[in-house]
Amino acid sequence: MTTTLVAPFSMADLLQRQRDFFATGATRDLGFRLAQLQKLRAGIVRYQDEIVAAAKADLGRPAFEGYFEVGAISELDYVLKHLRSWARPRKVSLPLNQKPGSAWVQPEPLGVALIIGPWNYPFQLMISPLVGAIAAGNCAILKPSELAPATSRVLAKLVAETFDPAHVALVEGGVETAQALLAERFDHVFFTGGERVGKVVMQAAAQHLTPVTLELGGKSPCIVTPDADLAVTARRIVWGKGLNAGQTCIAPDYVLVQESLKPALVEALKQRIQACYGDNPAQSPDLSRIVNEGQFDRLVGLLDRGNILIGGDHNRSERFIAPTLIDGVTWDDPMMQEEIFGPILPILTYRTLDEAISAINQRPKPLALYLFSKDKATQDRVIHHTTSGSLCINDVILQVAVWDLPFGGVGNSGIGHYHGIHSFNTFSHLKSVLKKPFWIDLDWRYPPYDGKIQIFKRFLGLS
Ligand code: NAD
C-alpha cells in the first residue's frame, strides 16, 4: 500500500504543522479538548454503519461483533464525563519540614503523539488511544494497519472530516510508512501490535528518547479448577475464543484444566461450540474470518500436532477455520510456543494448582490470565502467585471494558497501560509543582553550616 497523506504535506511538514499548532497552546484549553472529543463522538455515530461494514469486509465480522469497534464510544463517553476532574491540579501534602508552602501535580500535555495500530480491532484500537491523546491535550498522528484496508479508509475519512490536520491527522500505509513516521521525533509513541514489531518501535523511539507505550500480545492461559461452574465456564470460554475468530489479543489462548475435570469440560465446550455455531460452522453467520492467507496458513500449520476433538475444518479461499478444540499438545509444540491468535483452543491438564501456576510462571508473562474457580483460597493463590497484564476471575475479555482498570501488559506482553484516567496519564506529563512563600526563610539550611548539624539530624529523625 502506498502512503496517502490526508493533506498535501510530507510527514516532516505535517509534524511541524502539529508542533506549531501545539505551541499556540490551543490544545491545552479544556473546552477545546472537550469540543474535539464531542466532534469525534458525532463522527463515530455518523459512521457507525460504515465502521461495521468495514469490519465485515476486513475480517468477515458479524454485525454484532462489528459494534465492538463502534463500542469505542463508551470509553469516549466515560472520558467526557470525567475529564474535568482528571485535568485538575492534584494537591499533595507537604512534609512538616517543608512547610509553609503547597505542592501539587499539574498534568500537562506531552506534544505530538504517534499512534500505530493493528488489524484485529482496527477501528477501536486507533480511537481508544486517540481519545486519551486528545483528552490530555496533545496533537496526534495516526497510522492504522494496512491489513484492514476497509477500516483504514473509514478512519481516514472520519479523521479528515472531524479534525484540523494540524491537530489530528491520519496517514495510511504499511511498514515503510510506519518506519518513515518512526524516524521522526515524537513526544510519545503508542503502539499496539506484536512483540517483534514492538522491539522495532522501541528501538526507533530510543533514537529520540521518546517514551513508548507498547500494547503487545502473548499467550493468555485459562485455568479451570474442579469447583468451577462448568456450564458457565464453557459458555464464557467459547465466547471469548470465538470472538473475531480468536483474533483478539486477550482471547483465552489455551486451557489448563485439572485432569479429573477434563472429560466433562471438553464435553461442555463441544456442546457450546455446537450451540453457538451449529453443526456446520462454515455456514454460521456469527463467525469471523481469518484476516489473510498468511495468517490462515500459519494457523492451519499448527493443526499438524495433537488430536482434534471438534472442528479442524478449514477453507483457504474463504479464510475460514472452524472453532477447534485440540488435545495431546505438548508445551514444546509450535502451538504452545507462539500466540495462537485464531479459533484453535488447546486443552492441557494439570494435577495440582501449584503445577499450573508453575507452568505459567516459567513462560513469558501473559497479557491476560483467566481463572475459573469459586474457591477463595484458589483465587487468592492465583492473584498472589502469578503475574499478568490483567487477571479476570470467572469470565474472559470483559476486564478490557472496565474503564478505571489500567489495560496493558507486563514483561513481554507490553510496556505501559491505558484506558480511562490511565490513558489521560499516559499522554500527560505529570509535572511536580512546589510553591513557597517569601515571608519565612529559616537560616538552618544555608552555609556556613557550623553548629547546624544537630538541627538537621532532628529534621531527619536521627536525634
Ligand atoms: P503487527 O505488529 O504486525 O503490526 C502492527 C502495526 O505495526 C501495523 O500498523 C503495521 O503496519 C506496523 N508495522 C509492521 N511491521 C513494522 C515494522 N517493521 N516497522 C514499523 N511498523 C511496522 O501486529 P498485527 O499483526 O497488526 O496485530 C497482531 C498483534 O497485535 C498480536 O500479537 C496481538 O496480540 C497484538 N495486539 C495487542 C493488543 C493489546 O491491546 N495489547 C491489541 C490488539 C492486538
Side-chain angles (χ1 to χ4, degrees):
M1 183 183 279
T2 52
T3 300
T4 11
L5 288 175
V6 288
F9 314 117
S10 74
M11 285 184 205
D13 286 345
L14 180 62
L15 190 58
Q16 191 54 48
R17 270 182 56 127
Q18 292 211 345
R19 288 207 174 292
D20 293 345
F21 184 66
F22 182 75
T24 65
T27 65
R28 290 176 180 259
D29 179 67
L30 198 57
F32 173 84
R33 301 184 211 176
L34 289 165
Q36 299 303 311
L37 290 173
Q38 288 288 7
K39 281 202 304 185
L40 178 57
R41 189 184 198 289
I44 296 173
V45 171
R46 202 166 60 248
Y47 272 99
Q48 57 181 299
D49 293 344
E50 283 196 45
I51 297 163
V52 172
K56 175 90 184 157
D58 287 331
L59 290 147
R61 274 276 184 91
F64 183 86
E65 291 183 17
Y67 274 92
F68 282 51
E69 301 288 336
V70 182
I73 210 163
S74 68
E75 185 184 5
L76 202 165
D77 285 340
Y78 189 78
V79 172
L80 281 168
K81 193 165 156 208
H82 295 281
L83 182 53
R84 279 183 196 286
S85 71
W86 297 342
R88 273 189 211 121
R90 305 170 192 176
K91 206 163 165 32
V92 301
S93 60
L94 275 188
L96 193 60
N97 59 14
Q98 289 262 27
K99 288 183 177 175
S102 57
W104 68 93
V105 175
Q106 182 81 44
E108 63 179 23
L110 295 168
V112 181
L114 172 63
I115 300 172
I116 300 178
W119 51 260
N120 64 331
Y121 287 85
F123 184 83
Q124 190 208 96
L125 293 174
M126 295 307 286
I127 296 298
S128 175
L130 175 64
V131 167
I134 295 174
N138 298 278
C139 296
I141 296 180
L142 311 180
K143 208 299 280 172
S145 173
E146 72 282 17
L147 301 183
T151 304
S152 180
R153 285 312 308 151
V154 177
L155 275 163
K157 280 195 283 180
L158 170 59
V159 167
E161 279 175 22
T162 307
F163 301 106
D164 178 344
H167 179 220
V168 176
L170 183 143
V171 183
E172 287 193 273
V175 176
E176 308 86 69
T177 306
Q179 284 171 342
L181 283 163
L182 284 165
E184 302 290 339
R185 183 185 218 292
F186 285 87
D187 298 292
H188 193 90
V189 176
F190 190 104
F191 170 79
T192 308
E195 197 182 314
R196 183 187 62 80
V197 183
K199 289 179 187 167
V200 173
V201 169
M202 195 165 176
Q203 230 162 23
Q207 306 311 309
H208 302 290
L209 282 181
T210 298
V212 291
T213 303
L214 301 180
E215 296 285 338
L216 309 178
K219 293 183 81 63
S220 299
C222 197
I223 306 174
V224 184
T225 69
D227 61 86
D229 178 319
L230 262 196
V232 178
T233 300
R235 281 164 77 90
R236 293 178 179 170
I237 293 176
V238 168
W239 172 74
K241 190 69 171 185
L243 213 58
N244 205 23
Q247 301 164 110
T248 303
C249 59
I250 49 170
D253 187 273
Y254 62 96
V255 167
L256 254 182
V257 58
Q258 208 284 331
E259 59 185 7
S260 65
L261 190 72
K262 181 182 161 190
L265 179 69
V266 165
E267 209 37 55
L269 290 168
K270 280 182 178 174
Q271 277 176 18
R272 273 318 291 170
I273 290 173
Q274 267 157 346
C276 290
Y277 304 112
D279 289 335
N280 182 3
Q283 299 298 319
S284 166
D286 296 323
L287 202 56
S288 297
R289 294 302 186 250
I290 305 306
V291 67
N292 57 31
E293 288 169 353
Q295 288 291 328
F296 176 91
D297 293 342
R298 180 185 65 79
L299 285 163
V300 170
L302 296 179
L303 296 175
D304 283 352
R305 302 283 174 89
N307 317 308
I308 292 175
L309 303 171
I310 187 173
D313 316 329
H314 49 272
N315 175 338
R316 194 168 195 262
S317 65
E318 291 194 15
R319 289 177 283 115
F320 161 78
I321 300 181
T324 301
L325 291 185
I326 194 160
D327 74 355
V329 172
T330 71
W331 290 102
D332 298 325
D333 285 337
M335 183 172 315
M336 295 311 294
Q337 299 287 316
E338 62 184 75
E339 181 182 14
I340 296 174
F341 223 55
I344 302 169
L345 186 65
I347 315 281
L348 288 88
T349 57
Y350 68 86
R351 271 164 299 184
T352 62
L353 185 63
D354 281 349
E355 191 185 311
I357 289 175
S358 148
I360 290 166
N361 289 345
Q362 279 169 36
R363 297 183 163 78
K365 295 171 183 170
L367 183 58
L369 174 58
Y370 300 111
L371 168 68
F372 286 87
S373 173
K374 289 181 193 151
D375 179 50
K376 173 85 170 57
T378 302
Q379 296 173 359
D380 285 344
R381 199 146 174 79
V382 171
I383 291 170
H384 297 297
H385 294 274
T386 62
T387 179
S388 51
S390 58
L391 168 64
C392 180
I393 299 171
N394 298 334
D395 215 324
V396 296
I397 313 274
L398 297 184
Q399 74 274 22
V400 71
V402 179
W403 306 125
D404 282 335
L405 285 178
F407 183 79
V410 55
N412 289 44
S413 54
I415 294 176
H417 46 250
Y418 73 133
H419 285 182
I421 191 170
H422 310 287
S423 288
F424 178 85
N425 289 343
T426 286
F427 285 103
S428 296
H429 168 53
L430 300 180
K431 182 163 73 182
S432 301
V433 183
L434 172 65
K435 186 168 140 184
K436 294 283 211 167
F438 286 116
W439 60 265
I440 183 164
D441 193 32
L442 298 179
D443 196 46
W444 69 268
R445 66 173 150 141
Y446 300 114
Y449 297 130
D450 190 31
K452 294 178 178 172
I453 275 202
Q454 279 317 317
I455 308 175
F456 191 30
K457 282 176 80 171
R458 224 172 297 135
F459 267 131
L460 296 176
L462 296 172
S463 65

